[in-house]
Amino acid sequence: MSEHTEDTDTLERIKGMKYGFVTGPAGSGKTTLIKQLVKSDASWGLVTATTGVAARVLGEGTPTVNSALGFFDSDSLSRAVSKGSLAHNIQELKKKFDRVIIDEASMLPAEMLDVIVKECEKAKMGVILVGDPLQLPPVTKNFTRPDWMFNAKCWSRLFAQTTVRLATQYRHTNKDFLKGLNLLRAGRGGESLPFLKKAGVKLSPVPSASSPPEPETDVTIVATNGTKNAIDSKHYHSLTGHERTFKTARWGEQHPDWQKEIPETVSLKVGCRVMILRNKYEDTVLTQANGETGKVIGLSDTIVTMRRDSDNKIIEVGMQETDNGERIIKITATGREVKMTKNPTGGVTYMPIVRAFAVTVHKSQGLTITTPTRVRLWSDEFFKNPAMVYVACSRVKNPKHLDIVGGDNVFSDVTLLEERTVTDPSCQVWI
């Protein structure tokens, strides 16, 4: 594994790689560098991302890797392999691009990477991964051990010796803030405190009966949905104005995830902060991304009009449908062809929005937040999970916008920031 700074040699090294991994801390210019290569030669690679929010950051028209290769999840990826549609789609893409580039690759499970690489190798299509293993891992059920991409069978053969580390950081220009964030990234929360304070980060005390209430901020980052829901409820009920309720419609057999994740109703008011929960494409263009946030500015019977935080653009979010039918997607010269391989036996129509005065760390990954933000460190022990504190704090661009509530409070002889800043031992090599 070689280390490089962001000079011309580095750019040329990456440009010449067929398979490789570009890594570095949050804000180190990984995405910018890749976009620079593609801008100079569009055929060099097709830029994709593991999440809708990450795809949005990469620019208008950037697809998720799922959309680009024609699958929805791990089950549909398996079907795409067995039906031959994944091989077909990669062969079609190879006519225009030499590589597929996957941003926020730390979220890509090892098993999925092995499947994608195997089909890409057959088509002589390269694969470039971009991401930071010191950020959040792939989501697993019941918090089982992460299926990190560097545990993939193909890793040692194709990526281990073609890794480029970027050192310079661009998102954060304050040197003390940068030093503090790098210490958080390394799991050294106690050592980060003086640098964060010097940079202007606020460290509010843990609220008590005798202390004043927590000040208002635009965003509160929390570790669990329970804390998020409590904050959302408090702020929502303080809003005045008419409430509109969107009712979920279900038919036939229901998938367990629908029952768990889709509520029977979604009630909103103008002024409510919200988050979109589903990617939406028009043809192949991503028009709304799972994880995008904003503020409601209008409501009709079937439409929520919101001003999106990332670009202040006004967008309309409507009721969306999903079903349990099985499909394969084939990329064609004119677009894509969707073929139903198993008819649906159940479905649901719902409003894909949730209140978002608070967001969880997992939903914040990939965002760059430019407004006052509170990390409510004291309220959730779940922050002790690896990378949670670092990801939450590194989303905020301006240190003076960041308030780590309870960060310098001392418990069990150490500060809360030291106690709850943790790095996965298997990721120590990437520090």
Side-chain angles (χ1 to χ4, degrees):
M1 185 160 24
S2 302
E3 290 203 20
H4 294 263
T5 54
E6 296 79 284
D7 53 23
T8 303
D9 289 342
T10 302
L11 203 64
E12 287 301 313
R13 174 177 164 80
I14 296 171
K15 185 177 180 180
M17 294 191 308
K18 193 74 171 179
Y19 299 90
F21 177 40
V22 181
T23 189
S28 60
K30 301 182 293 293
T31 298
T32 301
L33 187 149
I34 293 300
K35 288 169 69 175
Q36 183 179 344
L37 284 169
V38 173
K39 185 177 180 180
S40 65
D41 180 6
S43 68
W44 186 80
L46 171 66
V47 180
T48 72
T50 54
T51 69
V53 166
R56 174 74 69 203
V57 171
L58 285 162
E60 195 73 28
T62 302
T64 62
V65 65
N66 308 58
S67 172
L69 301 185
F71 67 94
F72 304 103
D73 52 25
S74 57
D75 289 339
S76 67
L77 180 61
S78 297
R79 290 195 297 273
V81 172
S82 63
K83 300 288 185 181
S85 61
L86 181 62
H88 166 86
N89 292 344
I90 291 172
Q91 288 163 5
E92 286 297 307
L93 291 173
K94 185 63 175 68
K95 295 175 182 179
K96 297 180 181 179
F97 307 100
D98 291 328
R99 301 161 185 80
V100 58
I101 304 152
I102 306 175
D103 196 25
E104 290 291 351
S106 73
M107 303 288 285
L108 187 69
E111 184 178 4
M112 190 173 286
L113 176 60
D114 276 323
V115 172
I116 292 171
V117 166
K118 182 177 180 180
E119 295 300 328
C120 283
E121 282 193 287
K122 291 178 183 177
K124 301 187 185 306
M125 180 87 154
V127 179
I128 302 295
L129 305 175
V130 183
D132 179 14
L134 271 298
Q135 296 190 47
L136 296 178
V139 175
T140 59
K141 290 187 177 180
N142 302 318
F143 308 110
T144 55
R145 189 170 181 78
D147 185 22
W148 286 105
M149 60 180 177
F150 51 77
N151 291 328
K153 295 176 183 177
C154 64
W155 187 267
S156 60
R157 181 170 58 86
L158 295 176
F159 299 99
Q161 303 305 316
T162 53
T163 292
V164 174
R165 296 187 188 226
L166 305 183
T168 305
Q169 288 177 277
Y170 300 96
R171 179 185 296 155
H172 307 106
T173 56
N174 184 298
K175 291 182 179 179
D176 291 304
F177 191 37
L178 183 58
K179 178 68 173 177
L181 290 177
N182 282 335
L183 288 166
L184 291 179
R185 182 174 179 264
R188 296 155 61 186
E191 296 175 49
S192 74
L193 269 171
F195 297 99
L196 296 176
K197 287 180 179 179
K198 189 176 179 181
V201 173
K202 187 175 182 180
L203 293 135
S204 296
V206 174
S208 66
S210 60
S211 66
E214 292 180 81
E216 295 298 319
T217 57
D218 289 348
V219 180
T220 300
I221 301 179
V222 298
T224 64
N225 281 317
T227 302
K228 167 190 157 47
N229 293 339
I231 294 172
D232 286 342
S233 179
K234 173 187 173 183
H235 287 282
Y236 181 76
H237 290 299
S238 70
L239 294 176
T240 59
H242 177 70
E243 180 179 75
R244 189 173 293 276
T245 298
F246 301 88
K247 295 183 179 180
T248 298
R250 304 177 188 270
W251 65 274
E253 181 182 2
Q254 295 292 294
H255 191 284
D257 287 348
W258 301 345
Q259 299 284 16
K260 176 182 174 183
E261 298 172 3
I262 301 176
E264 295 304 314
T265 60
V266 174
S267 296
L268 300 170
K269 300 175 186 177
V270 170
C272 182
R273 288 196 57 79
V274 294
M275 175 179 284
I276 297 172
L277 296 178
R278 182 174 169 180
N279 292 340
K280 181 181 178 182
Y281 288 87
E282 292 180 4
D283 294 324
T284 59
V285 177
L286 182 68
T287 57
Q288 70 182 46
N290 180 2
E292 289 186 317
T293 57
K295 184 176 286 188
V296 175
I297 61 173
L299 295 164
S300 70
D301 289 342
T302 58
I303 298 291
V304 175
T305 304
M306 61 180 278
R307 186 180 298 277
R308 191 163 57 197
D309 288 334
S310 60
D311 55 7
N312 278 328
K313 185 177 180 180
I314 295 173
I315 62 172
E316 293 185 340
V317 182
M319 303 289 283
Q320 290 189 222
E321 299 179 4
T322 191
D323 61 50
N324 61 3
E326 295 181 359
R327 301 163 176 81
I328 59 170
I329 300 172
K330 284 191 174 183
I331 296 172
T332 67
T334 57
R336 54 184 52 210
E337 174 187 295
V338 181
K339 181 180 179 182
M340 184 77 70
T341 58
K342 182 180 177 182
N343 290 328
T345 59
V348 59
T349 302
Y350 66 104
M351 176 56 70
I353 277 182
V354 68
R355 299 170 191 168
F357 293 96
V359 298
T360 63
V361 180
H362 282 84
K363 283 294 186 181
S364 75
Q365 179 152 315
L367 298 177
T368 295
I369 303 174
T370 58
T371 58
T373 302
R374 176 186 298 112
V375 176
R376 215 163 181 239
L377 195 63
W378 63 275
S379 61
D380 293 308
E381 284 206 0
F382 198 75
F383 266 115
K384 291 181 181 178
N385 282 280
M388 295 283 280
V389 174
Y390 169 61
V391 168
C393 294
S394 65
R395 301 303 91 200
V396 183
K397 186 173 183 178
N398 185 342
K400 294 181 179 179
H401 283 162
L402 176 60
D403 181 1
I404 307 175
V405 184
D408 59 353
N409 284 50
V410 177
F411 296 96
S412 304
D413 298 325
V414 297
T415 62
L416 199 60
L417 192 62
E418 182 174 355
E419 179 193 70
R420 299 198 170 176
T421 302
V422 178
T423 299
D424 188 328
S426 66
C427 295
Q428 290 290 320
V429 66
W430 302 107
I431 291 176

